[in-house]
Amino acid sequence: MKSNLITRSGHDKLVAELQHLWHEERPEVTKKVNWAASLGDRSENADYHYNKQLLRKIDRRVRYLGKRLEELKIIDFSPEQDGKVYFGAWVEIENELGEQKKLRIVGVDEIYDHHPQHISIDSPIARALLSKQVNDEVEVTTPLGKKQWYINSIFYDKSEVLGN
C-alpha cells in the first residue's frame, strides 16, 4: 500500500495538473471529437478515434487526481524537524567509496515527474534515513546486498511552510 503523504509543492503540482486537464486540455480535445464526429462515418475517421482515445485518457487521469487529492495529507515543514531526517527533507549522503547522493524524501505521487533526486517515503533508503541526524550511519538493504551510507547534511525547503 502506498502512503498518502505529499509535500505542499507536490500537492500544488497535482492541483495545477488537474486544473489544466479539466479547463484547458479536455475542452480542446472535446471540440476535436465533436468536429471529427460531424464529418460523418466514424468507422474510418482516424481523427475521431485518436481524439476519443485521448479524451478517455484525460478523463481517467482527471478521475484519478480527483480521488487521490482527497486522500492525500500535506506535510509542511515544522521547526521541530530541524537536524533530523523526516518527510520532505533533502539529505546528502555518502558511502565508503566516496560516492555522494543528494536526495529528497517525498510522497509516491511526487515521483511521477521522474525527478532524479526524489525518492519515495516508501523506499528502503528513505525508511532507513528517517529520524537520523548528520554524521549518523545507516544500513540500507538493496537487491545487491547491504550498503552503508553516512549522512553529511540535512535541510528542508522552508519556503514550503504553509504554502509560503
Side-chain angles (χ1 to χ4, degrees):
M1 184 174 124
K2 60 184 176 180
S3 66
N4 290 335
L5 305 179
I6 193 164
T7 63
R8 183 158 302 276
S9 62
H11 185 269
D12 292 348
K13 284 180 185 176
L14 292 182
V15 168
E17 179 187 356
L18 178 59
Q19 295 300 317
H20 174 75
L21 288 172
W22 188 250
H23 295 292
E24 294 175 40
E25 277 198 48
R26 192 177 193 289
E28 188 64 33
V29 174
T30 301
K31 284 181 197 171
K32 290 178 184 177
V33 167
N34 289 336
W35 169 79
S38 72
L39 299 177
D41 184 12
R42 296 178 191 166
S43 64
E44 295 181 19
N45 188 330
D47 279 334
Y48 175 81
H49 290 289
Y50 171 77
N51 286 298
K52 192 73 171 164
Q53 183 179 16
L54 186 56
L55 190 59
R56 283 192 295 271
K57 182 180 173 187
I58 291 169
D59 286 345
R60 272 193 307 275
R61 183 71 178 161
V62 164
R63 276 192 307 276
Y64 172 78
L65 288 172
K67 288 179 182 175
R68 189 68 178 144
L69 284 166
E70 290 175 6
E71 300 168 349
L72 293 173
K73 180 179 180 194
I74 299 171
I75 304 296
D76 286 314
F77 170 77
S78 169
E80 295 85 44
Q81 292 174 245
D82 259 340
K84 289 197 174 191
V85 178
Y86 292 108
F87 186 83
W90 282 97
V91 185
E92 290 180 354
I93 57 176
E94 182 176 352
N95 67 15
E96 61 275 357
L97 302 174
E99 296 172 315
Q100 295 184 352
K101 291 184 180 196
K102 181 178 172 184
L103 308 169
R104 185 171 192 207
I105 300 173
V106 296
V108 68
D109 297 278
E110 298 175 84
I111 305 297
Y112 69 90
D113 61 0
H114 305 293
H115 192 292
Q117 295 174 313
H118 285 180
I119 60 170
S120 167
I121 185 76
D122 299 327
S123 69
I125 193 163
R127 292 285 180 206
L129 289 168
L130 288 177
S131 300
K132 300 295 190 270
Q133 303 177 70
V134 172
N135 296 326
D136 280 355
E137 184 177 319
V138 295
E139 184 176 89
V140 181
T141 303
T142 71
L144 302 174
K146 294 181 190 267
K147 294 200 175 198
Q148 300 290 327
W149 292 93
Y150 307 93
I151 300 175
N152 289 335
S153 70
I154 302 164
F155 55 99
Y156 291 88
D157 182 354
K158 295 175 182 157
S159 68
E160 288 193 3
V161 178
L162 301 175
N164 292 338

